[in-house]
Amino acid sequence: MNILGVAFLSDASAVVIRDGKLVAGVSEERLNRTKLWYGVPQGAIKAVLDIAGLELKDIDLIATHGEAPSVPDPKPFEEKESQILAADLPEDVREAQLAHIQSRLEHERMVLGERTPAYLAEIHSLGRPVKVYPHHKAHAAGAYFGSGWDECFVLTADGWGEDASATLWEVDNGDLKFISRSHTFDSLGYFYGSVTKALGFTPHRHEGKVLGLAAYCQDPRSYPEIRAMIDYDPQKQSFIGRMENGIYAPRFENQHLKEFVADFPREDISASTQRALEEVVCELVSGLGRGKFRLALAGGVFANVKLNQRIREVPSVSEVFVFPNMGDGGLSAGAAWLANSGMNSGSPAAINGVLLGHAPYDSEIDPALSRSGLRFSRCPEIEVRIAELLAEGNVVARCSGPMEYGPRALGNRSILFHAGDKTVNDWLNKQLQRSEFMPFAPATLAEHAHLYFEDIEKSRNAANYMTITFDCTERMLKEAPAAVHVDGTARPQIVSRERYPEFHKILSAYHELTGLSNIINTSFNMHEEPIVCTASDAVRAFQDSKLPYMALGNYLVEGVETSSSSMEQQELLSEKEKERW
């Protein structure tokens, strides 16, 4: 049974599931180079069919999301209007909030009545049978089937997706039992996005900057006002957004919020926002089950790796799993798994890695390098050579093997560096034209992970995909300070031989040379660009970044002789460190 999964919202993507197993997955943005592109991903559809060795005629069923009423339910809008009219608000704030409600209603009418039907019509035009599922059920299926568990709770949360902004499920042997949902106005994603916007960042793209800044303030003064924006209703098991407080608005446009934010340092606002999010989500989680339970997560809110750590720390949670493509790009896999389950076409297989895209082939590498004017040579033992360069203090970009499905670079489209230099976040981000407040993430040998991260076993599977933070041990602080945030946490990728054979070989060789088990792993792309996909993408990004070395397939490519960053690193290494390395 061959099922094609299609997602058409932000980070549109396609997957192929064959007899329950996810065998190919690609985001359209990697192909057309437009970050977070949305629409029917025709290029990604062709790509995953090619990877799976199929043609469209071989597809038994296309699965997608978008099952929803053609018009939004007016009742929640009317209730929210009543709350705002009853609140003690300045007249201009009240008018602005009522205008937001009307704007939101019109937007949802357009999405449900026009945009989604148009996308579904385009998918039907592919000429194969189509099955359509609700947005959040597809999220839930991705988290559940990806986990490989038989029983668990599933929580989804994002901005808004056709039928809800969050849902809660209980699952037993593939049967997803719906428990509750939260409306658009109760959106945790829009809450966090509204603050992201008010701080001068881009919502739906720069929430990670707010997360990074949050660690720089331990006692935020803005907390009472920020916390009043959202809440949790234990009776309905759903979240509450409080627009009637005159601050939060779900369309990211609120002058009152901007004025409020101006009264506090952005670190203060960020810390309050993160704390509020953690509290309301953990309140829901704490009320689940009678004893220990597993919890699977999906939806863009769970790109927040510190939130995921706090969920894992809830005493009743025995284990957490975050679907690696947690945002709307993961809807393609969730819908396809639902279709597979409904057709009884083989038990879904838990994901065993997400290296599901194309690999750069010599047929594209050779002409890309020949046109570049760069120096390059074939290197049969390229993984060992990368390890040697890293041990010498060099930065190495790597584009090799199948591309990752999802937002994280997991070694095959990554920039690598040793983890001993705490200044790397400044100078390497400048070279990549980025501005970040989170440290780079570590890639860590799986067999040594317990030496570096506290409580790793409760979410080791999530850590395979760089989706959760951990408190670091003293050894981690000493050996890999560049990968540790100011709050003493890190967001690792646990690298096993089974899931990441070539990347594991690099880390193993590096460990043999240095005695160290962690290296820096950041995505191979320039600022605001999608992660590189093809050999040509890699060559262009390598030249723009002015990095010293790139591993492109089995070719070692040289940039400038010695970049300023590499020179600085050589100077930073003491004689004692050089001897150890």
Side-chain angles (χ1 to χ4, degrees), residues 394-422:
N394 294 289
V395 183
V396 182
R398 182 170 188 258
C399 177
S400 184
M403 181 174 59
E404 302 90 336
Y405 170 66
R408 311 291 193 218
L410 300 171
N412 284 9
R413 300 294 188 278
S414 293
I415 294 172
L416 311 175
F417 186 62
H418 81 81
D421 172 22
K422 294 179 69 172

Side-chain angles (χ1 to χ4, degrees), residues 320-342:
V320 162
F321 175 75
V322 185
F323 187 58
N325 201 349
M326 70 290 293
D328 286 349
L331 293 169
S332 53
W337 268 318
L338 282 171
N340 179 85
S341 176

